[in-house]
Amino acid sequence: MSNLSLLGASALLGITLLAAASASAQAPPQFAQLTFPSVNGALMREAVLADLDGDGDLDLCGGTGLFSFTLRQVLLRNDGQAGWTDLTATALPNVATSTLATIAFDLEGDGDLDLLVSKQQAPSRLWRNNGAGVFTDASALLPAAATDHLTGVARDVDGDGDVDVVLLAGYFSTTTDLLLRNQGAGPMTAVPLTLGSGATSIAACDLDLDGAVDLVVGTQTGLRVHRNTGAGVFTDVSAAWTSALPAGLVLSVAAGDLDGDGDPDLVAGRQNVTTDLRLTNTGTAFTVAALLPGNPSGAKSCVLFDADEDGDLDLVRGSITASVTLAINDGSGVLSPSPQRMANVQPFSPTLRAGDVDGDGDDDLVVLDEVSLTQTLRLITNRHRDLTLTTPVIGLPWTIDVVSAPGYATLDHVCRLGIGLGVLPQPLVVPGVGALWLDFAAGGFDTAAIVFAATGTHRFTIPVPQLPPLVGLPLHVQALLEQARAPARFTGHRRVVVQ
């Protein structure tokens, strides 16, 4: 008889009796703030969020801030459930100066992500990935001109099938903008560019849908647009594309199809005015579609992603004076503030990164705080399809909260909870539904309940028997949510050990 069978009828009876209980009478916000665990390098000023060790989840690598006591690059490995381990000492070369940008790209085309680290008033570094997230210094492949760049983007701009890097000099730098052409495993070659004086930010996208990657640059006087001929040769077409736009300092720029017509539109976060810009791409120019209420201090960071999973891009902005706000897209490009979905997050000077850090299929937000003296990294977790559980202890009730469409659901819907003894070696990926991890052949059970729209949360309460043989038993938990007006979707999977 398996240990799980010792839970047997008692556990199942607990679920049956308590399955209809609701966790709260008031819906929580969709996005809730968490604090990263205390790890070395918590004062990151910039970082890249990407799968650096090839295990399918998103890791975090970036440089500590100007006010950190230790200036260095930090690598935090994600366990797939938003649990972080500092691997800096064993996986990164040592960089003892402040960094401006970390850019992930596949240098050799071997399927893993290498890192270009731009350092302040010092040569950039190139670090080669061994495939498992351990990096060695390959900076000899960089030209000497790759020094003191503010930020950059990695894309195949010359159409030869490998990923190049465009580096933006920025407003305090005395260097020049660069295209670093990728030669595969060989040295990268530098091509000088002139992308815009007083530059602050850059976005890469195919503006005219000709198959080539174009560049949009935010500057102290407005936006500059550079069209790619297809071979990585850029022509300044700002006069045609931006002549109808108001002048002013653009702190951040984000590109994406906001109105569903297939071409990339823009959001420009501005400083010293009360509005940011939502810009429509006409195919030959940008026009102002809307003035978005903003903060006069400026939107330092703009991120576009599908927050409500309705197929269009929504907007999150981080302003210099301590706020992170969400605006929901109606599908036509109209962005409406949605404060009820976003927790009160007040970093001083936030930089945002979006990605699924907890493995439940939706995008979360990592908040980096450039100038804070004390604030740790923060995760704004997307609680749609969240699975939160206490540690099971023999003789005590075990609670599992399943969250679905918190703060915005309009219909009650079904969730099914599964608890098993084992997981599959690789998840069973069901298109449109997500990844199933539980291996029910190893033993387990499941049960169903209703998530009420008014709360967005359901709590399962399972009495764990007072049986000492259960101590040390690993349990795996996953849920399937029948989303309102959408296909059913799996949550991420969680592992716990009975205490």
Side-chain angles (χ1 to χ4, degrees):
M1 179 179 292
S2 72
N3 283 345
L4 185 62
S5 68
L6 296 176
L7 289 169
S10 175
L12 187 56
L13 178 61
I15 295 174
T16 304
L17 292 176
L18 300 173
S22 179
S24 67
Q26 184 177 3
Q30 180 186 356
F31 290 88
Q33 176 179 315
L34 300 176
T35 300
F36 273 73
S38 179
V39 292
N40 203 352
L43 300 179
M44 279 189 188
R45 66 180 301 189
E46 59 79 23
V48 63
L49 184 64
D51 182 9
L52 299 177
D53 54 8
D55 63 353
D57 53 47
L58 300 180
D59 311 298
L60 194 68
C61 185
T64 53
L66 291 173
F67 297 103
S68 176
F69 293 107
T70 302
L71 293 178
R72 64 168 190 166
Q73 199 79 0
V74 175
L75 174 61
L76 303 181
R77 181 177 183 179
N78 188 354
D79 66 1
Q81 303 180 49
W84 306 87
T85 303
D86 187 351
L87 297 182
T88 303
T90 58
L92 290 185
N94 184 34
V95 174
T97 56
S98 179
T99 61
L100 295 174
T102 304
I103 301 166
F105 72 109
D106 186 356
L107 173 69
E108 313 101 326
D110 58 357
D112 57 43
L113 292 175
D114 309 292
L115 295 174
L116 189 148
V117 180
S118 175
K119 302 201 307 175
Q120 192 164 24
Q121 298 178 343
S124 297
R125 299 289 184 91
L126 180 62
W127 293 341
R128 178 176 283 142
N129 193 341
N130 71 350
V134 177
F135 295 87
T136 55
D137 198 337
S139 301
L141 299 178
L142 287 180
T147 297
D148 195 20
H149 287 88
L150 175 68
T151 188
V153 290
R155 298 285 293 272
D156 179 12
V157 300
D158 55 9
D160 63 354
D162 53 36
V163 180
D164 312 294
V165 178
V166 175
L167 292 175
L168 192 65
Y171 44 89
F172 291 133
S173 177
T174 58
T175 187
T176 186
D177 307 318
L178 287 181
L179 164 61
L180 297 182
R181 289 186 184 271
N182 191 345
Q183 309 297 322
M188 302 186 81
T189 58
V191 179
L193 300 175
T194 303
L195 299 179
S197 61
T200 61
S201 51
I202 186 171
C205 54
D206 184 2
L207 294 175
D208 47 12
L209 303 182
D210 64 351
V213 177
D214 309 303
L215 301 175
V216 180
V217 177
T219 75
Q220 292 181 323
T221 58
L223 288 173
R224 308 295 297 178
V225 177
H226 301 268
R227 184 177 180 273
N228 188 350
T229 64
V233 177
F234 292 94
T235 302
D236 190 336
V237 292
S238 304
W241 279 81
T242 67
S243 60
L245 305 184
L249 195 161
V250 174
L251 274 180
S252 55
V253 58
D257 183 9
L258 292 167
D259 52 15
D261 64 354
D263 56 31
D265 309 298
L266 296 179
V267 172
R270 303 192 293 167
Q271 190 173 21
N272 301 326
V273 292
T274 58
T275 57
D276 298 323
L277 301 176
R278 209 283 279 171
L279 305 177
T280 295
N281 184 348
T282 68
T284 57
F286 287 114
T287 60
V288 178
L291 299 175
L292 304 175
N295 190 309
S297 66
K300 181 185 175 183
S301 186
C302 295
V303 176
L304 293 172
F305 69 107
D306 189 0
D308 54 359
E309 298 188 332
D310 62 353
D312 54 46
L313 295 175
D314 308 299
L315 170 67
V316 174
R317 288 175 288 172
S319 74
I320 288 179
T321 53
S323 68
V324 176
T325 58
L326 171 66
I328 296 296
N329 191 346
D330 70 351
S332 68
V334 176
L335 297 167
S336 301
S338 186
Q340 72 277 10
R341 293 190 188 220
M342 180 65 71
N344 184 26
V345 183
Q346 296 187 340
F348 184 75
S349 183
T351 296
L352 305 174
R353 298 289 183 262
D356 179 14
V357 301
D358 55 7
D360 60 359
D362 52 41
D363 280 339
D364 311 290
L365 293 164
V366 173
V367 184
L368 307 160
D369 201 339
E370 179 175 359
V371 298
S372 173
L373 292 173
T374 59
Q375 179 60 57
T376 59
L377 287 166
R378 278 172 282 194
L379 172 66
I380 303 179
T381 182
N382 186 343
R383 301 187 73 236
H384 184 39
R385 289 196 304 278
D386 249 14
L387 196 62
T388 304
L389 45 154
T390 61
T391 299
V393 178
I394 60 172
L396 297 176
W398 177 30
T399 60
I400 302 172
D401 289 342
V402 179
V403 184
S404 178
Y408 67 98
T410 57
L411 298 174
D412 300 344
H413 46 289
V414 174
C415 69
R416 181 166 289 276
L417 180 72
I419 300 174
L421 275 177
V423 291
L424 300 168
Q426 294 293 326
L428 174 63
V429 178
V430 182
V433 179
L436 173 64
W437 281 94
L438 298 188
D439 181 6
F440 283 109
F445 60 85
D446 67 284
T447 187
I450 300 293
V451 176
F452 294 103
T455 64
T457 303
H458 180 84
R459 171 164 292 174
F460 293 88
T461 303
I462 304 171
V464 181
Q466 182 71 39
L467 295 174
L470 292 177
V471 174
L473 175 70
L475 298 176
H476 301 271
V477 184
Q478 189 171 18
L480 179 67
L481 295 166
E482 182 186 287
Q483 302 175 119
R485 302 191 181 93
R489 292 284 299 273
F490 287 116
T491 66
H493 127 267
R494 298 289 180 264
R495 179 184 183 274
V496 292
V497 176
V498 178
Q499 302 297 312

